[in-house]
Amino acid sequence: MSPKAVLGFANRNPAEAILYAEGYAYLLVGVSPGELVGVKAVDPQMLAGKIRAAVGDAVRWTPEYVTVQERQVLVVIVDPPRAGDQIHVLRKQLDKFQTGTVFVRNTGRTDPATPADFDMLQARLLDRVPGVQLELVPQSATVEVAADPVTASQQWAGQQRLALLAARHVPTRGMRAAALAGGLTTFGLGREVVADQRTEADYETEVDNYLEEAQNAFMDRAVWAMHRHVPAMIRLRVTNPSDLGLTAVRLHVHVAGDVDVFPEELLDIAEPPMRPDFPVAPAPLGTPTIKESWHEQLTRFGQLSAMPFSGAFSSGVAPSPGPGFEARNSGSIDVDYDEFDLRPGESITLPAVPVLVRETSGTVLAANWEATAHGTRGRLRGEFTLTVTPSTLDLSAIAADDDEAPDD
């Protein structure tokens, strides 16, 4: 194994190195494209002494042997370069290269440093301000495609229309007696029962008017539920892996593909804590009208007056943790999080971002991000992916009462 490769990896630009494998470099000895030769294992202490004599003590590297197809392969791991690192030089003559030669790593090879390389290494040496260090990962590697409320509402309305048009009132024993008495009578504590005056045509018109209003309410409730469906949200977790506390962190995330955030007109429906109201279906044809007696009206009014009133309503959805955010459509989506702080080693879950994904199931969405922090150098960039999966949001019971609504 040549020490110059270790020196070349140690003399990389930190801002460029961090973009790949978190800055670590892996040198494989005993393999080549299409060929597995293997190496004879050497005592790690002897190997470390030989390499250290050429690269010095400041270079951070680790040798490991792995077995592949019954052959030994040496994996040399070189730690990520950091701001303030010294310029690593060859400390003993190696072949034609004299002591003091500086090597840098280029694509697929290690070369002596050029003047531009020396400029970079000198800037790295003098840059004692640490760079921002963050780890950003999705809490789930998948995101669900947006549910289809239009089709769901049409199917629901079609089923409801058939059921409502076929529905007929089945009178109770007391109401049957009232009907025999002439259609208008009293029973109990003075209740009046008025026979249904609607014709078949009247009832069908009432059903159609109800379903038109109900489909609009169905769509509103579907939007409200979609905005709260966790598997259709982008959920991220950010970690500060360094020993330096970070303040005023600014984080920007871009997700490519056919993905939208909820537009303003839908947010007016989706954000209120209570589900949108739903109209009451017309009573089946033949249902009489029952008028309460004055005694019952007074009793019910007294009960309502005695009930405690609370102006607070809750959707049952806990407030999102972490900083707020602003999301916008840009052909894909862009999310900018409010500034936040991270103590050394701290991790926080960012608030989930509801999105409308219209890609086919199995599509992989590419996302990239960048972050800055007060008192740190540079701009950190990274990327992650999300795989689109089918929607699991059940809209079939969207018209149910609030206490019967299915949970996510």
Side-chain angles (χ1 to χ4, degrees), residues 113-407:
T114 65
D117 294 326
F118 276 109
D119 290 342
M120 179 274 293
L121 291 170
Q122 184 178 19
R124 187 184 75 173
L125 173 64
L126 298 177
D127 190 359
R128 299 298 181 178
V129 177
V132 58
Q133 296 186 53
L134 283 179
E135 294 175 358
L136 184 70
V137 295
Q139 286 192 285
S140 171
T142 63
V143 61
E144 289 188 1
V145 69
D148 183 2
V150 174
T151 300
S153 68
Q154 292 172 346
Q155 292 175 346
W156 175 86
Q159 295 168 354
Q160 288 295 305
R161 190 173 194 277
L162 293 175
L164 289 172
L165 291 179
R168 292 296 182 269
H169 174 66
V170 179
T172 63
R173 180 180 301 176
M175 289 185 177
R176 282 197 292 269
L180 292 175
L184 175 61
T185 188
T186 60
F187 69 96
L189 293 174
R191 287 184 175 181
E192 291 185 344
V193 180
V194 181
D196 191 359
Q197 302 299 313
R198 296 173 297 175
T199 64
E200 291 275 358
D202 293 337
Y203 180 59
E204 184 173 354
T205 299
E206 188 177 357
V207 168
D208 288 339
N209 291 338
Y210 158 74
L211 289 177
E212 182 178 357
E213 182 182 358
Q215 276 192 273
N216 292 331
F218 188 105
M219 291 291 293
D220 288 351
R221 281 196 171 187
V223 168
W224 191 90
M226 291 166 64
H227 194 258
R228 287 161 173 73
H229 187 53
V230 173
M233 299 179 181
I234 295 176
R235 296 168 288 154
L236 305 175
R237 187 167 183 81
V238 61
T239 301
N240 175 9
S242 70
D243 295 329
L244 175 70
L246 299 176
T247 60
V249 177
R250 293 184 179 181
L251 176 64
H252 172 82
V253 177
H254 174 79
V255 181
D258 194 355
V259 185
D260 292 325
V261 295
F262 281 67
E264 289 294 332
E265 58 270 22
L266 293 185
L267 289 178
D268 292 339
I269 300 168
E271 288 187 334
M274 299 297 292
R275 288 208 309 171
D277 292 333
F278 208 84
V280 178
L285 188 63
T287 303
T289 302
I290 302 176
K291 296 182 178 180
E292 289 183 330
S293 68
W294 63 269
H295 178 270
E296 289 176 315
Q297 294 176 14
L298 288 177
T299 301
R300 182 163 55 84
F301 178 78
Q303 291 172 343
L304 291 174
S305 300
M307 291 177 61
F309 173 77
S310 173
F313 297 92
S314 172
S315 65
V317 179
S320 297
F325 65 87
E326 178 184 354
R328 62 187 182 278
N329 294 321
S330 58
S332 300
I333 64 168
D334 287 280
V335 184
D336 289 292
Y337 293 89
D338 295 342
E339 291 184 356
F340 58 92
D341 299 337
L342 277 176
R343 294 189 297 273
E346 182 183 15
S347 295
I348 64 171
T349 300
L350 297 172
V353 181
V355 294
L356 300 169
V357 179
R358 297 185 177 87
E359 298 281 4
T360 57
S361 180
T363 300
V364 177
L365 303 177
N368 55 70
W369 58 272
E370 59 182 33
T372 60
H374 178 71
T376 59
R377 172 188 51 81
R379 186 181 301 271
L380 181 62
R381 294 179 174 87
E383 58 186 28
F384 59 89
T385 60
L386 297 169
T387 301
V388 179
T389 58
S391 176
T392 60
L393 179 60
D394 182 12
L395 297 179
S396 62
I398 208 72
D401 292 337
D402 288 346
D403 57 353
E404 299 174 0
D407 297 327

Side-chain angles (χ1 to χ4, degrees), residues 44-114:
Q45 187 173 359
M46 293 179 58
L47 177 63
K50 178 181 177 181
I51 300 301
R52 188 178 297 113
V55 305
D57 295 327
V59 178
R60 302 176 300 278
W61 66 283
T62 306
E64 291 187 9
Y65 287 98
V66 296
T67 301
V68 181
Q69 298 178 6
E70 300 182 354
R71 296 180 186 273
Q72 291 285 327
V73 174
L74 174 62
V75 181
V76 178
I77 306 169
V78 183
D79 286 4
R82 299 177 299 191
D85 279 355
Q86 69 184 58
I87 300 175
H88 301 291
V89 303
L90 184 63
R91 296 184 175 271
K92 61 179 292 187
Q93 184 170 346
L94 180 66
D95 299 328
K96 64 179 180 179
F97 300 106
Q98 299 297 318
T99 302
T101 302
V102 175
F103 295 101
V104 295
R105 185 67 179 178
N106 294 308
T107 304
R109 66 182 192 274
T110 302
D111 301 314
T114 65

